[in-house]
Coordinates of all heavy atoms in Angstrom, one line a residue:
D536 N 174.6 -133.6 98.7 CA 174.7 -134.7 99.7 C 173.8 -134.2 100.9 O 173.5 -132.9 100.8 CB 176.2 -134.6 100.3 CG 176.5 -136.0 101.0 OD1 175.6 -136.7 101.2 OD2 177.6 -136.3 101.1
I537 N 173.4 -135.1 101.7 CA 172.5 -134.6 102.7 C 172.6 -135.5 104.0 O 172.9 -136.7 103.6 CB 171.0 -134.6 102.3 CG1 170.0 -134.1 103.4 CG2 170.6 -136.0 101.9 CD1 168.6 -133.9 102.9
Y538 N 172.5 -135.0 105.1 CA 172.5 -135.8 106.4 C 171.3 -135.4 107.3 O 171.0 -134.2 107.3 CB 173.8 -135.5 107.2 CG 175.0 -136.2 106.9 CD1 175.8 -135.6 105.9 CD2 175.4 -137.4 107.5 CE1 176.9 -136.3 105.5 CE2 176.5 -138.0 107.2 CZ 177.3 -137.5 106.2 OH 178.6 -138.2 105.8
F539 N 170.8 -136.3 107.8 CA 169.6 -136.0 108.9 C 170.4 -136.2 110.2 O 171.5 -137.0 110.3 CB 168.5 -136.8 108.8 CG 167.5 -136.6 107.6 CD1 167.6 -137.4 106.5 CD2 166.8 -135.4 107.6 CE1 166.7 -136.9 105.3 CE2 166.0 -135.1 106.7 CZ 166.0 -135.9 105.4
G540 N 169.8 -135.7 111.2 CA 170.6 -135.9 112.6 C 169.7 -135.6 113.7 O 168.6 -134.9 113.7
S541 N 170.1 -136.0 115.0 CA 169.4 -135.5 116.2 C 170.5 -135.4 117.2 O 171.7 -135.8 117.0 CB 168.5 -136.7 116.6 OG 169.1 -137.9 116.9
A542 N 170.2 -134.6 118.3 CA 171.3 -134.3 119.3 C 170.6 -133.9 120.4 O 169.4 -133.6 120.6 CB 172.1 -133.0 118.8
I543 N 171.3 -134.0 121.6 CA 170.9 -133.6 122.9 C 171.9 -132.6 123.4 O 173.1 -132.8 123.4 CB 170.7 -134.7 123.9 CG1 170.1 -134.1 125.2 CG2 171.9 -135.5 124.2 CD1 169.6 -135.3 126.3
C544 N 171.5 -131.4 124.0 CA 172.6 -130.4 124.5 C 172.1 -130.1 125.9 O 171.0 -129.8 126.1 CB 172.3 -129.1 123.5 SG 173.2 -127.7 124.1
F545 N 173.2 -130.0 126.8 CA 173.0 -129.6 128.1 C 173.5 -128.3 128.2 O 174.6 -127.9 127.8 CB 173.6 -130.6 129.0 CG 173.2 -132.1 128.9 CD1 173.8 -133.0 128.2 CD2 172.1 -132.4 129.7 CE1 173.2 -134.2 128.0 CE2 171.4 -133.8 129.6 CZ 172.2 -134.6 128.7
S546 N 172.8 -127.3 128.9 CA 173.3 -125.9 128.9 C 173.4 -125.4 130.5 O 172.6 -125.8 131.4 CB 172.1 -125.1 128.4 OG 171.9 -125.4 126.9
E547 N 174.4 -124.6 130.6 CA 174.7 -123.8 131.8 C 174.1 -122.4 131.6 O 174.5 -121.7 130.6 CB 176.0 -123.7 132.1 CG 176.4 -123.0 133.4 CD 176.5 -121.5 133.5 OE1 176.9 -121.1 132.4 OE2 176.0 -120.9 134.4
P548 N 173.1 -122.0 132.4 CA 172.3 -120.8 132.0 C 172.9 -119.4 131.9 O 172.7 -118.5 131.3 CB 171.0 -120.9 132.9 CG 171.5 -121.6 134.1 CD 172.6 -122.6 133.6
L549 N 173.8 -119.2 133.0 CA 174.4 -117.9 133.3 C 175.3 -117.5 132.0 O 175.1 -116.4 131.4 CB 175.2 -117.8 134.5 CG 175.8 -116.5 134.9 CD1 174.7 -115.4 135.0 CD2 176.6 -116.5 136.1
H550 N 176.3 -118.3 131.7 CA 177.2 -118.0 130.6 C 176.7 -118.6 129.3 O 177.4 -118.5 128.3 CB 178.5 -118.6 131.0 CG 179.1 -118.0 132.2 ND1 179.5 -116.6 132.3 CD2 179.2 -118.4 133.5 CE1 179.9 -116.2 133.6 NE2 179.7 -117.3 134.2
K551 N 175.6 -119.3 129.2 CA 175.0 -119.9 128.1 C 176.1 -121.0 127.3 O 176.3 -121.0 126.2 CB 174.7 -118.9 127.0 CG 173.7 -117.9 127.4 CD 172.3 -118.5 127.4 CE 171.2 -117.5 127.8 NZ 169.9 -118.1 127.8
I552 N 176.8 -121.7 128.3 CA 177.7 -122.8 127.8 C 176.9 -124.1 127.4 O 176.0 -124.4 128.2 CB 178.8 -122.9 128.7 CG1 179.5 -121.8 129.2 CG2 179.7 -124.1 128.3 CD1 180.3 -121.1 128.0
R553 N 177.3 -124.7 126.4 CA 176.6 -125.8 125.8 C 177.4 -127.1 125.8 O 178.7 -127.0 125.3 CB 175.9 -125.6 124.5 CG 175.1 -124.4 124.4 CD 174.9 -123.8 123.0 NE 175.0 -124.9 121.9 CZ 173.8 -125.3 121.4 NH1 172.7 -125.0 121.8 NH2 173.8 -126.0 120.4
I554 N 177.0 -128.2 126.2 CA 177.7 -129.5 126.0 C 176.8 -130.4 125.1 O 175.5 -130.5 125.4 CB 177.9 -130.2 127.3 CG1 178.9 -129.4 128.2 CG2 178.6 -131.6 127.1 CD1 178.8 -129.8 129.6
I555 N 177.3 -130.9 124.0 CA 176.6 -131.4 122.9 C 176.9 -132.8 122.7 O 178.1 -133.2 122.5 CB 176.8 -130.6 121.6 CG1 176.5 -129.1 121.8 CG2 175.8 -131.0 120.6 CD1 177.4 -128.3 121.1
L556 N 175.9 -133.7 122.4 CA 176.1 -135.2 122.0 C 175.1 -135.3 120.9 O 173.8 -135.0 121.0 CB 175.8 -136.1 123.2 CG 176.7 -136.0 124.4 CD1 176.3 -136.9 125.5 CD2 178.1 -136.4 124.0
G557 N 175.5 -136.0 119.8 CA 174.6 -136.1 118.7 C 175.0 -137.1 117.6 O 176.2 -137.6 117.7
I558 N 174.2 -137.4 116.6 CA 174.6 -138.2 115.5 C 174.0 -137.7 114.3 O 172.8 -137.3 114.3 CB 174.3 -139.6 115.8 CG1 174.6 -140.5 114.7 CG2 172.7 -139.7 116.0 CD1 174.6 -141.9 115.0
D559 N 174.6 -137.7 113.1 CA 174.3 -137.4 111.9 C 174.3 -138.7 110.9 O 175.3 -139.4 111.1 CB 175.0 -136.3 111.3 CG 174.8 -135.0 111.9 OD1 173.8 -134.8 112.5 OD2 175.7 -134.0 111.8
F560 N 173.4 -138.8 110.1 CA 173.5 -140.0 109.3 C 172.8 -139.6 108.0 O 171.9 -138.8 107.8 CB 172.6 -141.2 109.9 CG 171.2 -140.8 110.4 CD1 170.2 -141.0 109.4 CD2 170.9 -140.1 111.5 CE1 168.9 -140.7 109.8 CE2 169.6 -139.9 111.9 CZ 168.6 -140.1 111.0
K561 N 173.2 -140.4 106.9 CA 172.6 -140.3 105.5 C 171.3 -141.1 105.6 O 171.3 -142.2 106.0 CB 173.6 -140.7 104.5 CG 174.8 -139.7 104.4 CD 175.6 -140.1 103.1 CE 176.9 -139.1 103.1 NZ 177.6 -139.3 101.8
P562 N 170.3 -140.5 105.0 CA 168.9 -141.2 104.9 C 168.9 -142.5 104.2 O 168.0 -143.4 104.3 CB 167.9 -140.3 104.6 CG 168.8 -139.3 103.7 CD 170.1 -139.2 104.4
G563 N 169.7 -142.6 103.2 CA 170.0 -143.7 102.3 C 171.3 -143.5 101.6 O 172.3 -142.8 101.9
Y564 N 171.5 -144.5 100.6 CA 172.8 -144.3 99.8 C 172.6 -143.1 98.9 O 171.7 -142.8 98.3 CB 173.0 -145.6 99.1 CG 173.3 -146.8 99.8 CD1 172.6 -147.7 100.3 CD2 174.7 -146.9 100.0 CE1 172.9 -148.8 101.2 CE2 175.2 -147.9 100.8 CZ 174.3 -148.9 101.3 OH 174.8 -149.9 102.2
I565 N 173.7 -142.3 99.0 CA 173.8 -140.9 98.3 C 175.0 -141.2 97.1 O 176.1 -141.7 97.4 CB 174.1 -139.8 99.2 CG1 173.1 -139.8 100.3 CG2 174.2 -138.5 98.4 CD1 171.7 -139.4 100.0
R566 N 174.7 -140.6 96.0 CA 175.8 -140.6 95.0 C 177.0 -139.8 95.3 O 176.6 -138.5 95.5 CB 175.2 -140.4 93.6 CG 174.1 -141.4 93.1 CD 173.6 -140.9 91.8 NE 172.6 -141.9 91.4 CZ 172.8 -143.0 90.7 NH1 174.0 -143.4 90.5 NH2 171.7 -143.8 90.4
V567 N 178.1 -140.2 95.3 CA 179.2 -139.3 95.5 C 180.3 -139.6 94.3 O 180.4 -140.6 93.8 CB 179.9 -139.8 96.9 CG1 179.0 -139.3 98.0 CG2 180.3 -141.1 96.9
L568 N 181.2 -138.7 94.1 CA 182.3 -138.7 93.3 C 183.6 -138.9 93.9 O 183.9 -138.0 94.9 CB 182.3 -137.5 92.3 CG 181.4 -137.6 91.1 CD1 181.6 -136.2 90.2 CD2 181.7 -138.7 90.2
V569 N 184.4 -139.8 93.7 CA 185.7 -140.1 94.4 C 186.8 -139.8 93.3 O 186.8 -140.4 92.2 CB 185.9 -141.4 94.9 CG1 187.4 -141.6 95.5 CG2 184.8 -141.6 95.9
K570 N 187.8 -138.8 93.5 CA 188.7 -138.5 92.6 C 189.9 -139.4 92.6 O 190.5 -139.7 93.7 CB 189.3 -137.2 93.0 CG 190.3 -136.5 91.9 CD 190.6 -135.1 92.2 CE 191.7 -134.4 91.2 NZ 192.0 -133.1 91.7
D571 N 190.0 -140.1 91.5 CA 191.1 -141.1 91.3 C 192.3 -140.5 91.1 O 193.5 -140.9 91.6 CB 190.7 -142.2 90.2 CG 189.4 -142.9 90.6 OD1 189.2 -143.2 91.8 OD2 188.7 -143.2 89.7
N572 N 192.5 -139.5 90.0 CA 193.6 -138.9 89.6 C 193.1 -137.6 89.1 O 192.0 -137.1 89.1 CB 194.5 -139.6 88.7 CG 193.7 -140.2 87.6 OD1 193.2 -139.4 86.8 ND2 193.7 -141.5 87.3
D573 N 194.1 -136.7 88.5 CA 193.7 -135.5 88.0 C 192.6 -135.6 86.8 O 191.9 -134.4 86.7 CB 195.0 -134.7 87.4 CG 196.0 -134.4 88.4 OD1 195.4 -134.3 89.7 OD2 197.1 -134.2 88.2

C-alpha cells in the first residue's frame, strides 16, 4: 500500500512545538485484501 501527502506545520520556536494540518491520499486504486472469515 502507498499514500502520497502534503501538510502545513506551524511552529513555536522556543519549545519546538508543532501544530499540523495535512492530507494523505492514495495516488490511484490499490489492491487490498479484506478478510471475510478465518
Side-chain angles (χ1 to χ4, degrees):
D536 210 347
I537 186 170
Y538 282 84
F539 289 104
S541 61
I543 183 170
C544 169
F545 299 96
S546 301
E547 187 278 324
L549 181 61
H550 300 286
K551 299 291 187 182
I552 302 297
R553 299 154 43 88
I554 300 170
I555 309 143
L556 298 169
I558 184 169
D559 289 339
F560 56 91
K561 294 190 177 183
Y564 284 93
I565 305 293
R566 294 181 185 275
V567 295
L568 279 178
V569 177
K570 186 174 182 180
D571 300 322
N572 53 54
D573 290 342

